[in-house]
Amino acid sequence: MEQYEPGRPSPAQLAAMRRGARAVAPRDRNAFSRRSLLRATGGGALAVGALGTVTACGIPPAAGNVQAGASEDHSAKEKRLSFSNWTEYMDLSKDKKSRPTLDAFQRRTGIKVKYTEDINDNVEFFGKIKPQLAAGQDTGRDLICVTDWLAARLIRFGWVQKLDPANLPHAYSNLSPQFRNPDWDPGRAYSYPWQGISTVIAYNAKATKGKEVTSVRQLLEDPALKGRVGFLSEMRDSVGMTLLDSGKNPGDFTDDDFDAAVARIQQGVDNGQIRRFTGNDYTSDLESGDLAACLAWAGDVVQLSAGTPDVRFHIPDGGYLTSSDNLLVPNKARHKTNAERLIDYYYEPKVAAGLAAWINFVCPVDGVRAELAEIDKEAAENPLIVPDAAMAAKSRSFRSLTSEEEARYEAAFTKLTT
């Protein structure tokens, strides 16, 4: 089992954590954009530092056996489960008094779901549950939703339970190929994605005078964009997209590859091409045209373009970054089977369509397009929500990092952003 290593958040990461979320208005509803909350605490030294506090508090690590946290499953007798999720990450009725897909699950199964929106960022949430996990105790939660870097750590620490494939027939059959084999959980033995997150190039066509922006190279070198380019404050996204632009695979790169990518970004900083590094707060500048082009998260682009048609996106020929939020069952959870039934339910295409129509992130469920078209034809045809085969083939993931790599890479990137 991986041991804890102390560390401190970088100034850039602390600043990102303090950024507020910005509400936007796609189509016929007000939606809360949680991109800054999700990505501002995207791991790195910040996550290492948070994990380091476990040892500092004198909490012993869990046993190395990943099944040490399994406990008696009370699902058969106790028809309930507790599900912790991010805010505004579940569909709501128009009057905001019910959650249609979740309510339908409860009616169908008789399982009562205690649904709590108590995840504001990955590190903060980890701070809530780490004492119980480290002590081998029940967290009071049967299902949690965390970003891939934290999911990877929970699996490595042996703090989540292996899922039973027999309870996940729809999930196993309908999981999109691009999400099937992350290097931190090959074959999805411990996790299933709730939603995918894509990093793309976005631009304001009015600000570029109709000129398309199609590559990271253009962001870094086009003189017409000088001083009006934004990169993301999340290392994995900015460096990963630059690696792809350099012909490197972010899923399999060397220290030299990383250093070369950072050097390219540094040049963009030094010559004034890059205006600033941002979390979710790029959205207002992109919408107004103060940023002509930037690296962006697809969910934001979907929402922005609905209200501002000049905001457009492009998928570079070299590919784009994909990450995910993931469902896991913590150790000592009392209702593992009930939790697995809920995971499987959301992999039924009709159910997944209801969720996708409201959230507008990348749906990880194959076969959802036809069902989504019945609800929202525009969403069904949007490759940022339902990637077509060509877009899915360009999807790449940033590989897992060792603690040593993470500390070095985050330190190098922080120098760019401060």
Side-chain angles (χ1 to χ4, degrees), residues 236-297:
R236 287 166 175 79
D237 291 288
S238 287
V239 174
M241 290 293 283
T242 306
L243 284 167
L244 283 167
D245 188 76
S246 303
K248 304 296 182 180
N249 181 0
D252 182 20
F253 63 88
T254 65
D255 283 351
D256 288 344
D257 295 333
F258 178 88
D259 291 341
V262 168
R264 288 187 65 193
I265 302 172
Q266 182 70 64
Q267 185 175 6
V269 172
D270 293 342
N271 64 20
Q273 184 77 7
I274 296 175
R275 179 172 179 172
R276 64 190 184 105
F277 292 83
T278 71
N280 175 249
D281 48 334
Y282 66 82
T283 54
S284 58
D285 283 349
L286 181 63
E287 190 172 30
S288 68
D290 288 341
L291 281 179
C294 62
L295 295 180
W297 290 300

Side-chain angles (χ1 to χ4, degrees), residues 2 74 76-77 102 140 142 155 190 208 213-214 219 227 259 304 357 371 384 409:
E2 178 178 323
H74 298 267
K77 295 182 179 179
L102 192 60
D142 301 297
I155 293 170
Y190 296 90
T208 65
V213 181
T214 61
L219 290 176
D259 291 341
L304 283 175
E371 295 289 350
L384 297 183
Y409 293 170

Side-chain angles (χ1 to χ4, degrees), residues 86-105:
W86 297 78
T87 55
E88 300 293 335
Y89 220 17
M90 178 69 74
D91 52 306
L92 278 172
S93 60
K94 289 186 177 180
D95 61 9
K96 298 185 179 181
K97 293 182 179 180
S98 63
R99 303 184 184 278
T101 61
L102 192 60
D103 293 347
F105 171 80

